[in-house]
Amino acid sequence: MAGLYVGATAGYSGKNMVVMGLGLRLQKEGYKVGYLKPVGAMPREIDGRLWDDDAYHVQRILRTDEAPETLTPIIASHDFQVKAFRNQTGDVMGLIRDAYEKVAAGKDVTLVGGSGGMHTGKYCNADGVRVVRELGLKAVVIDRYSKELNYDYLLVLREQLGDHLAGVILNDVAQNFLEETHTLIAPFLRDRGIRVLGVIPKDPLMAAIKVADLADRLGGKVISAHHKADRIVESFLIGTMQVENFMTHFRRQKNSAIIVGGDRSDVHLVALEGDSPCLVLTGNLYPNDIILTRSEVLEIPIIVVREDTYTVAKKMETLLMRHKLRDEIKIRQGAQLINANLDFGVLMEQLGLGR
């Protein structure tokens, strides 16, 4: 019976993508796969029962059928956190251990999904490092590239996890940093006893979001071309510059939403004619009738939001970094990225699953 904990150096690093990619690959190869997430941070009530939203979604994709209290024995709701601060949570590791043993029974391998970073949950004695050590699991730690890689954190985890650390995955690595990652960072980590199981390049689709979801998350509303609100946004541009300069940048970035004031008709027209997936008009300013008509003809949605351009741009930056993996097309793409860039042979050897 093999157990693999999928953790990360920080939240929103790709844990669900890796769990689903690994689970689907293992199932395809004929292994019986179990899944649980010991600590959930996204409470969601479904049919009168409390689930963790991420765990519920991953279970649906992997087609497992655990009850919510087994799938996620600890839900870190506000009430739970208050009890933890008052030392009233009881034996949380006992609950996690019982759930793990129940899920793992009769399985070839059990995937255990982490929450946040490897030290998240320390306040209630249910952090990833403790779960790995007490359940005797192997661990894969994901480090997502964001300006740089967290190699210091990985070195600390190597000391804390020892032989429990099966390896690390360097995720979402920018194209201009790939060569340095392969030729400098990966060898550095290997020299210090850390297996690099895979380097996954940045894929714009994985951070993409539908126009309708974008409007909802920005607190705005779609005012035109509603039937095209399922178009995909991969990035954004701010349309505050002169039109000539804006056109130069716009041609380089496809599938970019344009964030611009509602009074900049010149930029609106360029974005519409250039087939932007949508316009995000700030300051609660509505476009004129010519722009609205052109939007309907070209089938490009317009979103109107109340906040200023700078605030909306900051929100978009965070949103594209943290948007959840939900759409079928993104799940398939994530699984392909895992299959193409992960050293399954070494991982299977670490889990004792080689056939």
Side-chain angles (χ1 to χ4, degrees):
M1 182 176 68
L4 180 68
Y5 187 95
V6 179
T9 56
Y12 303 99
S13 293
K15 294 184 293 293
N16 290 338
M17 177 185 78
V18 170
V19 168
M20 288 188 284
L22 283 174
L24 292 171
R25 168 75 177 262
L26 289 164
Q27 287 174 338
K28 186 176 181 180
E29 294 191 2
Y31 292 98
K32 293 180 181 177
V33 177
Y35 165 71
L36 78 155
K37 183 177 182 180
V39 181
M42 299 185 68
R44 177 186 176 189
E45 188 173 317
I46 303 172
D47 298 328
R49 306 177 79 181
L50 189 63
W51 300 77
D52 174 74
D53 194 35
D54 277 351
Y56 176 85
H57 178 71
V58 173
Q59 171 161 270
R60 182 177 62 83
I61 297 301
L62 296 181
R63 300 183 301 280
T64 59
D65 58 356
E66 307 299 341
E69 60 272 14
T70 302
L71 179 65
T72 312
I74 306 297
I75 299 285
S77 62
H78 178 69
D79 288 345
F80 174 84
Q81 291 176 322
V82 169
K83 287 181 180 178
F85 297 144
R86 292 174 176 165
N87 297 315
Q88 297 173 348
T89 54
D91 182 16
V92 292
M93 271 309 304
L95 293 173
I96 292 170
R97 188 178 295 105
D98 289 346
Y100 175 74
E101 289 174 357
K102 185 174 182 179
V103 171
K107 306 297 193 309
D108 297 311
V109 58
T110 300
L111 301 177
V112 181
S115 180
M118 287 297 291
H119 296 109
T120 301
K122 187 75 173 175
Y123 73 97
C124 64
N125 297 314
D127 55 286
V129 173
R130 185 182 183 200
V131 170
V132 168
R133 295 171 85 169
E134 295 215 8
L135 295 184
L137 307 174
K138 286 290 186 176
V140 166
V141 177
I142 305 162
D143 187 27
R144 183 177 185 180
Y145 175 84
S146 179
K147 297 181 181 177
E148 65 177 3
L149 291 163
N150 296 308
Y151 31 80
D152 284 334
Y153 195 127
L154 295 175
L155 292 172
V156 171
L157 287 175
R158 174 71 180 91
E159 293 176 357
Q160 293 177 331
L161 294 172
D163 291 340
H164 290 283
L165 183 62
V168 301
I169 297 171
L170 307 178
N171 185 30
D172 206 27
V173 180
Q175 205 66 37
N176 62 357
F177 195 67
L178 275 174
E179 184 178 355
E180 185 171 328
T181 300
H182 281 292
T183 61
L184 185 64
I185 304 299
F188 164 80
L189 293 173
R190 291 189 189 106
D191 287 346
R192 282 151 183 80
I194 299 174
R195 298 176 192 85
V196 178
L197 296 172
V199 176
I200 301 177
K202 185 177 185 65
D203 188 312
L205 181 60
M206 299 308 295
I209 184 172
K210 289 181 180 178
V211 170
D213 293 334
L214 178 61
D216 182 58
R217 298 291 292 275
L218 291 177
K221 61 181 178 180
V222 179
I223 63 168
S224 66
H226 297 81
H227 63 295
K228 289 295 182 177
D230 60 348
R231 292 191 66 169
I232 294 295
V233 173
E234 294 180 357
S235 58
F236 68 91
L237 279 174
I238 302 173
T240 54
M241 60 190 81
Q242 294 296 318
V243 172
E244 294 77 12
N245 294 332
F246 171 74
M247 288 176 68
T248 301
H249 289 280
F250 183 51
R251 290 192 188 102
R252 294 175 187 160
Q253 295 196 45
K254 297 299 181 184
N255 296 327
S256 294
I258 308 304
I259 303 173
V260 63
D263 54 351
R264 288 294 305 272
S265 298
D266 52 347
V267 174
H268 301 168
L269 279 174
V270 171
L272 290 172
E273 297 295 341
D275 196 31
S276 168
C278 74
L279 275 64
V280 181
L281 307 189
T282 61
N284 206 32
L285 295 173
Y286 283 66
N288 61 44
D289 290 343
I290 295 174
I291 298 298
L292 277 173
T293 300
R294 200 69 188 138
S295 164
E296 294 288 358
V297 170
L298 295 173
E299 299 185 313
I300 296 174
I302 294 177
I303 300 170
V304 172
V305 297
R306 289 185 176 276
E307 293 171 312
D308 62 89
T309 300
Y310 175 78
T311 302
V312 173
K314 293 300 288 183
K315 276 190 173 182
M316 277 280 284
E317 190 174 33
T318 301
L319 185 57
L320 291 174
M321 172 72 76
R322 298 184 171 184
H323 186 56
K324 291 293 182 182
L325 195 68
R326 290 291 186 265
D327 296 331
E328 187 68 31
I329 186 173
K330 291 171 74 172
I331 292 166
R332 286 201 305 270
Q333 182 70 1
Q336 288 175 7
L337 285 169
I338 296 298
N339 280 322
N341 297 285
L342 207 60
D343 191 334
F344 271 91
V346 172
L347 182 58
M348 298 291 270
E349 183 182 313
Q350 284 291 301
L351 292 172
L353 290 175
R355 286 181 172 175

